[in-house]
Amino acid sequence: PIGIEGRARRFPGMVGGRPTLVVSAPALADEIERAGGTLAGIAGRQLQVWSNGSPAALERALEADDQTPIAFLTATELRDTPSYLSLTWTFGLMKALGLLIGLVALLGTLLYLQTRQRERQVSYALSRRMGLGRSSHRAAVGMELSAMLAVAVLSGVTLALLAAIAMHDRIQLFARAPAVPLLRVPILLVAAGVAVLIAFAWASAWLVQRSADRMDVAQVMRLAR
């Protein structure tokens, strides 16, 4: 009989969506011995021990348990393998392209502001005559830009998460240490990006307001006729 003690979404040695059985090694060895087999024979004579400690401490612990380790593979060594480096370089290139696209988007926003500023010079001049305050106009521009950028960020983050959820279980990095990468949402990075965009929106609103304050109302009204 088997009693389920808990469920883990990720565990060392898991590969894709294949089931992984985690049991006590001594208890399993006793049961296999009663059945006339050996634990080494069942496991193909290749047992793996995963540890968060140092290789030296793990080696001492194994030797104290009358076990002879054949080889050690550390996380640092895995990160230096070609399969891992090719993936990290690919993601690094994608990040660089994403940053470039973001800068292009911000430049497009500035061009949009310039076009909109020319279109609404007359309306702003008339609104000022009717009592519109500078702070109200600046706040309106800031909220308009913030809403535009918020929609863009929300769309991009949502699509990126959906793509990551669909693909990360299919990435197999290491043949020697089969495992599935963890899906971790970069909350701090997303928050930093949102903060930068909000700062950009309100800085742009300040520039728009400064340009509006400098315009010649009489000249604008003459050109509008």
Side-chain angles (χ1 to χ4, degrees):
I2 298 176
I4 299 177
E5 298 294 335
R7 298 181 182 272
R9 295 182 62 248
R10 294 289 177 264
F11 199 84
M14 289 183 63
V15 179
R18 290 189 292 179
T20 300
L21 179 63
V22 181
V23 298
S24 169
L28 181 61
D30 292 341
E31 293 297 327
I32 293 177
E33 186 177 357
R34 291 193 188 98
T38 61
L39 180 60
I42 296 297
R45 299 186 181 278
Q46 184 179 2
L47 302 179
Q48 293 185 357
V49 178
W50 293 64
S51 172
N52 289 329
S54 65
L58 180 59
E59 184 176 9
R60 289 194 299 268
L62 291 175
E63 290 177 349
D65 195 38
D66 295 331
Q67 303 292 333
T68 302
I70 298 176
F72 286 91
L73 188 61
T74 65
T76 302
E77 292 173 347
L78 284 175
R79 285 195 295 265
D80 291 336
T81 57
S83 58
Y84 191 91
L85 291 176
S86 62
L87 188 67
T88 56
W89 291 343
T90 300
F91 286 146
L93 177 61
M94 294 176 65
K95 287 181 180 180
L97 292 176
L99 179 60
L100 178 61
I101 293 173
L103 294 177
V104 172
L106 293 181
L107 179 60
T109 303
L110 292 176
L111 295 177
Y112 165 81
L113 282 175
Q114 184 178 7
T115 303
R116 290 281 292 159
Q117 180 67 13
R118 291 178 179 177
E119 292 178 352
R120 60 186 177 189
Q121 283 181 341
V122 177
S123 61
Y124 176 67
L126 294 176
S127 299
R128 284 294 305 273
R129 293 298 181 91
M130 290 186 291
L132 177 66
R134 297 174 63 254
S135 59
S136 299
H137 179 257
R138 183 170 58 249
V141 175
M143 287 186 289
E144 177 185 1
L145 290 177
S146 298
M148 289 174 51
L149 296 175
V151 171
V153 170
L154 181 61
S155 302
V157 171
T158 301
L159 293 175
L161 287 178
L162 290 176
I165 292 173
M167 293 302 298
H168 91 285
D169 275 342
R170 303 178 182 275
I171 297 177
Q172 180 63 51
L173 291 179
F174 313 114
R176 296 175 60 190
V180 175
L182 294 176
L183 178 62
R184 295 178 178 176
V185 180
I187 298 178
L188 293 179
L189 182 60
V190 173
V194 171
V196 170
L197 291 180
I198 292 176
F200 172 82
W202 288 96
S204 300
W206 179 81
L207 292 175
V208 169
Q209 183 61 47
R210 183 180 180 185
S211 176
D213 291 337
R214 291 182 174 182
M215 73 177 180
D216 188 346
V217 177
Q219 182 70 9
V220 170
M221 296 300 294
R222 185 180 66 81
L223 293 176
R225 290 180 181 180

